[in-house]
Amino acid sequence: LPLPLPLPLPLPLRSYFQCMLLDPGTVPDRWHHAVLLCPDRDKYKLCRKCGLYKPPRSHFDSITRRLVLNMDHFCPWMVNCIGFYNRKFFVLFLFWTTLACLQYIIATVARVGLQFGEILMSSHTGGKTTLRFMAFVVDAALGVAVGCFLSFHAKLVLYNQTTIESETLDFDVGGWRNVTSVMGPNPWLWLLPLYGRGPTGDGVHWPRRRGP
């Protein structure tokens, strides 16, 4: 039986390389120098490791050795830190990878159906079918794992949180503004691995939630 065709590979692949190659963002020199001249600069924390003042939601990444805007985490699979400018592509990589795995599972089950067991146990079955069955199992496990990861990060985007800030709602300013601060202002580009105008804001100034 022929293998089902996957979703267009450019979508997850472009998302992956965009996330890996795009700078997540660091403290702008102009902002740092403006804080130095500000009389009430004590309201900003000074990073002891890099000597820069820390904008809200920025954190020092010990792997890349720099202060990252809106840092989420360092991803070893991307060999990059996930931050303000490349977070959209990390989410899209999870999204398109999950869909690709799901498409493969549905297409395989629809083609083979409940005959999987009979084919596997048949004495006439070659090694190629066994390998395809093993690929199906690995793909299903990968789809479940990445899908769970996707649901977690989708929730973080919806509430304007990061992995580091998953316990606070201080920056939850409403669904639309939360999503655009990661995915950008154009909803037609949300599911496409295109930068467009980038995320809304500058990664330095963050409106806070009003009220309880």
Side-chain angles (χ1 to χ4, degrees), residues 104-180:
Y104 183 90
I105 293 169
I106 294 175
T108 301
V109 171
R111 185 177 294 273
V112 180
L114 299 178
Q115 299 177 352
F116 239 139
E118 297 177 8
I119 294 175
L120 197 61
M121 298 299 295
S122 173
S123 59
H124 302 290
T125 300
K128 185 179 293 187
T129 301
T130 303
L131 287 176
R132 288 176 177 172
F133 178 77
M134 293 173 61
F136 174 83
V137 173
V138 171
D139 184 86
L142 179 64
V144 171
V146 178
C148 292
F149 205 36
L150 170 64
S151 65
F152 172 69
H153 278 274
K155 175 255 181 184
L156 295 181
V157 171
L158 185 60
Y159 291 101
N160 208 355
Q161 299 171 310
T162 63
T163 301
I164 299 174
E165 305 164 347
S166 59
E167 301 298 324
T168 179
L169 292 173
D170 288 349
F171 301 98
D172 179 10
V173 290
W176 175 266
R177 295 176 67 188
N178 292 344
V179 174
T180 58

Side-chain angles (χ1 to χ4, degrees), residues 23-200:
D23 190 330
T26 190
V27 181
D29 290 337
R30 180 181 299 179
W31 183 87
H32 174 71
H33 292 307
V35 173
L36 285 175
L37 300 175
C38 182
D40 58 345
R41 61 178 177 270
D42 290 340
K43 67 180 182 180
Y44 297 101
K45 294 181 179 179
L46 185 67
C47 180
R48 298 179 180 178
K49 296 181 179 179
C50 67
L52 296 174
Y53 280 98
K54 299 174 61 175
R57 312 189 74 182
S58 64
H59 300 275
F60 184 81
D61 176 29
S62 60
I63 305 297
T64 59
R65 306 296 300 174
R66 47 187 266 166
L67 200 59
V68 177
L69 298 178
N70 194 26
M71 178 179 170
D72 189 88
H73 68 288
F74 179 85
C75 180
W77 307 109
M78 299 293 178
V79 200
N80 198 2
C81 187
I82 309 304
F84 181 68
Y85 290 108
N86 66 348
R87 189 178 174 196
K88 168 187 175 178
F89 302 105
F90 176 74
V91 175
L92 285 184
F93 173 73
L94 298 179
F95 175 77
W96 287 116
T97 300
T98 301
L99 279 191
C101 291
L102 182 62
Q103 185 266 350
Y104 183 90
I105 293 169
I106 294 175
T108 301
V109 171
R111 185 177 294 273
V112 180
L114 299 178
Q115 299 177 352
F116 239 139
E118 297 177 8
I119 294 175
L120 197 61
M121 298 299 295
S122 173
S123 59
H124 302 290
T125 300
K128 185 179 293 187
T129 301
T130 303
L131 287 176
R132 288 176 177 172
F133 178 77
M134 293 173 61
F136 174 83
V137 173
V138 171
D139 184 86
L142 179 64
V144 171
V146 178
C148 292
F149 205 36
L150 170 64
S151 65
F152 172 69
H153 278 274
K155 175 255 181 184
L156 295 181
V157 171
L158 185 60
Y159 291 101
N160 208 355
Q161 299 171 310
T162 63
T163 301
I164 299 174
E165 305 164 347
S166 59
E167 301 298 324
T168 179
L169 292 173
D170 288 349
F171 301 98
D172 179 10
V173 290
W176 175 266
R177 295 176 67 188
N178 292 344
V179 174
T180 58
S181 69
V182 176
M183 310 302 288
N186 188 350
W188 295 104
L189 298 181
W190 284 356
L191 297 182
L192 296 178
L194 301 174
Y195 189 77
R197 287 186 287 169
T200 56

